[in-house]
Amino acid sequence: MHKLFSPLKIRNVIFKNRIAVSPMCMYSSIDGFANDFHLVHLGSRAVGGAALIMQEATAVSPEGRITSYDMGLWKDEQKEKLKQIVDFIHQQNTQAGIQLSHAGRKASTNRPWEGGAQIQSDQRGGWRTLAPSPIPFKEGTEKPLELDKEGIENIKRDFLSSTLRAKEIGYDVLEIHAAHGYLINQFNSPHSNQRKDEYGGSFSNRIRLLLEVTEIVRKAWGEEKPLFVRVSATDWVPEGWNNEDSIRLAVQLKELGVDLIDTSSGGNSSQATIPLSAGYQVKFAEEIKKATGIMTSAVGIITSTSQSDEILRNDQADLIFMAREMLRNPYFPQEAAHELNEVVEWPVQYGRAKRSPKV
């Protein structure tokens, strides 16, 4: 069997292959509620054969949304539709994951297809953003409010409350979003964190919020199911966060019961220059995995069967997260199985379209 289609067990959860749908914001919610679009969007990728469907960044509070149209899980009423989606994913013998997030200073923006610009707090639809330090993401935009101790405690309580709701809904995997320049990433990086208290300055102080959130979430989530953390391995700017920092962080996250580091990069500086190429972030996942022994996932311009299988065969990562390729082709896992001559589940409703094995 090719590594791409070998099962993977993490705690009490078994992934039927190594292909996961990466969390991708759809900016299609009203007041944080999921709707039929999300049911079809996520459900079709479960039908396509991926082992894990990771729900988009889901805000732990209204002010933690990137846009007014982000998914949320800050109140009980939001659980009902999400439960329907999770149940459908489970019917396809696929695992359901949720990524919990707070956008920090990158909140209060227009949707990408509306330009993505920040909406200031005195403009319609905008609100004052929060951050470790009053440094805007882009010059000329409104400064965020620096979180005080009470505000930090509120953030931790929000992650706890959303975790408990996710557990009630029945998700199989929970991921803490500490990447792409959102709030926890902002605390981690010296590029965005210039605090002088116990949450700023030294490396151990800057990662304090993530460690505290992780400890709270792990306890509430329980020991039976996997806990992932998505990190930006590097800020791609001088004097910013880098992969050596990510390795040091991963050691401590592993001690707190994190099972896998979902390894991405960038997003914390508008001035970053990112050298995009096929699999350009895989090296970061590989370095973290080899240095710490923790499982990792690879993401970032991974688009082919051979590329995905090679990453796994070379022990550079344990899971392949795919984003844009899954938007283009929700049935990538089925096509990959055909390409590799693997026998995999096929929806009985689609049986007449199943290809014969390659000879």
Side-chain angles (χ1 to χ4, degrees):
M1 175 179 285
H2 292 83
K3 192 74 176 286
L4 189 60
F5 286 94
S6 63
L8 175 65
K9 183 177 181 181
I10 305 179
R11 297 189 184 255
N12 291 346
V13 175
I14 297 175
F15 303 94
K16 61 186 178 184
N17 57 52
R18 305 299 183 95
I19 304 171
V21 176
S22 199
M24 293 176 280
C25 291
M26 294 291 107
Y27 308 108
S28 298
S29 297
I30 301 298
D31 193 27
F33 282 83
N35 54 51
D36 286 346
F37 172 84
H38 302 98
L39 172 63
V40 175
H41 165 66
L42 297 171
S44 62
R45 281 145 189 86
V47 171
L52 170 64
I53 310 297
M54 187 69 78
Q55 182 177 304
E56 65 191 83
T58 303
V60 298
S61 64
E63 64 273 13
R65 293 174 293 174
I66 306 166
T67 77
S68 297
Y69 300 94
D70 283 26
M71 186 88 76
L73 191 51
W74 63 79
K75 55 186 176 182
D76 288 342
E77 292 81 0
Q78 292 161 333
K79 293 188 298 183
E80 183 178 359
K81 191 66 177 184
L82 294 175
K83 178 69 163 57
Q84 182 189 5
I85 294 170
V86 168
D87 287 349
F88 181 84
I89 290 172
H90 286 160
Q91 290 167 17
Q92 314 312 309
N93 191 27
T94 294
Q95 310 296 353
I98 183 171
Q99 183 190 69
L100 297 182
S101 179
H102 191 297
R105 67 179 184 175
K106 293 180 76 174
S108 188
T109 70
N110 285 309
R111 291 179 290 190
W113 56 85
E114 297 167 335
Q118 185 188 61
I119 306 172
Q120 295 197 160
S121 57
D122 60 354
Q123 296 175 322
R124 184 178 180 182
W127 61 90
R128 194 70 182 273
T129 64
L130 304 171
S133 301
I135 306 168
F137 178 64
K138 293 182 179 179
E139 288 188 15
T141 59
E142 187 175 31
K143 289 184 179 180
L145 289 173
E146 180 174 313
L147 280 161
D148 58 17
K149 299 294 179 57
E150 182 181 357
I152 289 173
E153 291 302 313
N154 287 338
I155 297 293
K156 291 190 284 186
R157 281 193 292 269
D158 289 338
F159 270 93
L160 172 59
S161 298
S162 294
T163 297
L164 292 172
R165 292 187 182 100
K167 187 174 182 179
E168 291 170 1
I169 291 167
Y171 289 96
D172 306 287
V173 176
L174 189 144
E175 178 170 275
I176 299 169
H177 200 351
H180 299 166
Y182 299 126
L183 183 67
I184 294 178
N185 190 184
Q186 293 162 28
F187 268 89
N188 288 346
S189 173
H191 182 74
S192 46
N193 184 346
Q194 297 181 5
R195 299 175 71 94
K196 304 299 182 183
D197 63 2
E198 67 266 36
Y199 288 94
S202 68
F203 173 83
S204 59
N205 281 356
R206 286 185 280 109
I207 67 170
R208 187 183 303 276
L209 177 60
L210 175 54
L211 298 186
E212 290 177 346
V213 167
T214 299
E215 190 170 13
I216 290 167
V217 168
R218 176 80 272 180
K219 184 177 180 180
W221 186 236
E223 297 296 322
E224 298 79 20
K225 295 180 179 181
L227 175 62
F228 296 177
V229 173
R230 172 164 274 197
V231 303
S232 278
T234 176
D235 285 338
W236 296 109
V237 293
E239 308 303 323
W241 182 269
N242 58 48
N243 206 39
E244 291 181 3
D245 295 324
S246 297
I247 290 169
R248 293 172 65 191
L249 172 64
V251 170
Q252 297 193 48
L253 291 175
K254 184 179 180 183
E255 291 175 354
L256 290 176
V258 171
D259 300 291
L260 181 143
I261 302 297
D262 183 5
T263 314
S264 189
S265 71
N268 197 38
S269 171
S270 61
Q271 304 302 312
T273 301
I274 302 177
L276 297 176
S277 61
Y280 70 104
Q281 297 172 149
V282 174
K283 62 182 179 181
F284 300 131
E286 180 181 18
E287 290 170 1
I288 293 171
K289 178 177 171 62
K290 291 184 175 179
T292 68
I294 197 169
M295 286 183 282
T296 62
S297 65
V299 65
I301 314 184
I302 299 173
T303 60
S304 72
T305 301
S306 58
Q307 179 191 16
S308 303
D309 194 55
E310 183 180 11
I311 291 167
L312 297 168
R313 283 190 288 104
N314 291 339
D315 204 29
Q316 295 173 284
D318 300 276
L319 275 176
I320 303 296
F321 271 91
M322 304 185 83
R324 288 174 175 83
E325 186 61 26
M326 282 292 188
L327 295 181
R328 292 186 285 264
N329 183 8
Y331 301 97
F332 173 88
Q334 298 288 355
E335 294 188 359
H338 176 71
E339 189 175 332
L340 297 175
N341 249 9
E342 295 284 356
V343 178
V344 297
E345 290 179 293
W346 185 264
V348 293
Q349 297 90 339
Y350 295 177
R352 72 194 74 180
K354 189 172 184 180
R355 292 170 171 169
S356 300
K358 296 170 72 175
V359 294

